[in-house]
Amino acid sequence: QQQVKQSPQSLIVQKGGISIINCAYENTAFDYFPWYQQFPGKGPALLIAIRPDVSEKKEGRFTISFNKSAKQFSLHIMDSQPGDSATYFCAAVGYIPTFGRGTSLIVHP
Amino acid sequence: DAGVTQSPTHLIKTRGQQVTLRCSPKSGHDTVSWYQQALGQGPQFIFQYYEEEERQRGNFPDRFSGHQFPNYSSELNVNALLLGDSALYLCASSPTRGYNSPLHFGNGTRLTVT
């Protein structure tokens, strides 16, 4: 049973554009929502994370928006760059971490 | 300062065999977790070790077992390998065992079962 649904599976944007990746969860026991970035041949690296008591968190070009009532959260990458091309995973953490299936982002120069 | 290191990088085994994967956590970290990442999927939590004991476990059979040593390094053992065990196995360390403690992942061990 997939407890964290991530979409889209793949995303292509132009340099300078906005990349948006969405995640939805079911278990209300989740209490911490990190996003990870993974390059080919590397392990995931923590990008940004949010707690459900805030609706938005911004770090540089990366912003998480969180909607607790809808049980949804999203990652926005502003001014997307070719170096942002990677696979992005959302996760929801309660008792144990649960990851989404990932979004492959390609940013064209 | 070395991050999380895993060995070996790649491994090929035959069905029914046993395998041991190793992980050294980032300096200053005392909690180690293991994840299985199938091709095109997100990481799936196997278990977490803290103070040399398994503290949490995901939905994996008993064929998957682990160990943590006094220096915080860890091993993942998988017995009676199945073709479906082919995946990237990731080790992650964290400074505390709290649920919101940031995970630092290694680059993984690619296991192929033939």
Side-chain angles (χ1 to χ4, degrees), chain A residues 31 38 43-44 51 89 93 95 97, chain B residues 35 37 42 56 99 105-107:
Chain A
D31 199 30
Q38 186 175 27
R51 292 285 305 275
F89 295 96
V93 185
Y95 178 64
Chain B
Y35 291 78
Q37 186 176 22
Q56 295 174 327
Y99 71 94
F105 284 89
N107 291 331

Side-chain angles (χ1 to χ4, degrees), chain B residues 7-103:
Chain B
S7 63
T9 305
H10 296 83
L11 203 52
I12 299 175
K13 289 287 189 178
T14 303
R15 273 181 302 175
Q17 286 187 319
Q18 179 265 344
V19 67
T20 297
L21 311 181
R22 295 176 176 83
C23 171
S24 293
K26 180 179 170 65
S27 178
H29 289 188
D30 61 5
T31 302
V32 173
S33 302
W34 286 91
Y35 291 78
Q36 181 193 67
Q37 186 176 22
L39 200 61
Q41 302 293 318
Q44 272 197 291
F45 177 80
I46 302 176
F47 41 53
Q48 180 196 69
Y49 275 84
Y50 172 74
E51 290 187 340
E52 303 178 47
E53 290 190 15
E54 181 183 299
R55 300 293 178 171
Q56 295 174 327
R57 188 179 185 92
N59 188 25
F60 280 82
D62 292 344
R63 298 187 297 110
F64 290 78
S65 64
H67 190 78
Q68 186 179 33
F69 299 94
N71 66 352
Y72 308 123
S73 67
S74 178
E75 289 182 347
L76 165 65
N77 301 291
V78 186
N79 294 321
L81 284 167
L82 305 174
L83 294 179
D85 295 332
S86 296
L88 179 68
Y89 287 84
L90 294 163
C91 171
S93 70
S94 52
T96 70
R97 62 175 293 217
Y99 71 94
N100 59 353
S101 186
L103 295 174

